[in-house]
Amino acid sequence: MNDLSLFNSLFDDFGDVYNLPSFSLKKAIYAPKVDVKEDDASYTLQMDLPGKTDKDVKIELDRNVLTISSEAESVNEEKDDKSDKKKDDGKEKWLIKERSYSQFSRSFTIPDDVDSNNLFANVKNGVLTVVMPRHAPPSPRRITVNCA
């Protein structure tokens, strides 16, 4: 990625003795994977977001920083010993519950040639696609020199 750069969100803190960033394993595991391609007309970013819809994803553009984020929280189930004992009353009980909360945020610096007024995004089959059209670079122009 020559002009499109990924903010290094996997390296959080600069607090150790050697001023080296610490590695966040949680962010490395839960951060969605991204592919970015370019052609003459646009840049296209694709991010795997299984189970997410357009309502689950937030995309913001601030100056030349594109941020994609999502947050989902499941309802916590209270365990009631009395209801667990009664199986014939139709009440459910959790046997295994590993999914509870997920959150991510990824930020990208977009190139200067992106037409920021015409970005568009969609989610289909668990893949977010963000298309960033390019605008034509300004053509050189001749400047006349006046005699004073």
Side-chain angles (χ1 to χ4, degrees):
M1 292 185 291
N2 51 3
D3 290 330
L4 189 68
S5 64
L6 167 66
F7 274 24
N8 205 349
S9 62
L10 297 178
F11 299 96
D12 279 336
D13 306 318
F14 290 90
D16 67 20
V17 177
Y18 303 106
N19 283 332
L20 296 173
S22 64
F23 184 73
S24 173
L25 183 60
K26 183 177 180 182
K27 284 187 180 182
I29 292 171
Y30 295 113
K33 305 303 181 207
V34 175
D35 294 330
V36 179
K37 63 182 175 181
E38 70 174 308
D39 58 31
D40 292 338
S42 65
Y43 298 93
T44 302
L45 179 146
Q46 292 183 312
M47 178 181 285
D48 289 337
L49 298 177
K52 302 284 187 193
T53 67
D54 57 335
K55 293 169 183 48
D56 301 325
V57 180
K58 181 177 163 185
I59 302 174
E60 292 181 338
L61 180 63
D62 184 14
R63 296 185 193 102
N64 66 332
V65 176
L66 180 73
T67 301
I68 302 169
S69 61
S70 178
E71 188 171 343
E73 187 172 359
S74 69
V75 178
N76 289 335
E77 297 290 326
E78 295 292 325
K79 187 173 181 178
D80 183 4
D81 290 333
K82 293 177 186 174
S83 67
D84 285 347
K85 293 178 185 175
K86 298 179 184 179
K87 294 181 183 178
D88 53 56
D89 66 355
K91 290 194 176 186
E92 294 179 334
K93 76 173 189 174
W94 290 101
L95 299 177
I96 298 173
K97 186 171 182 193
E98 296 177 339
R99 300 177 301 144
S100 60
Y101 179 79
S102 67
Q103 171 186 354
F104 76 87
S105 180
R106 304 270 317 253
S107 295
F108 305 88
T109 302
I110 61 173
D112 293 332
D113 66 341
V114 169
D115 182 0
S116 60
N117 293 323
N118 291 313
L119 278 95
F120 61 94
N122 67 6
V123 177
K124 183 177 181 181
N125 296 329
V127 177
L128 171 71
T129 301
V130 180
V131 178
M132 300 170 275
R134 291 177 158 179
H135 55 72
S139 57
R141 62 183 181 119
R142 185 168 180 105
I143 300 174
T144 59
V145 178
N146 295 324
C147 184

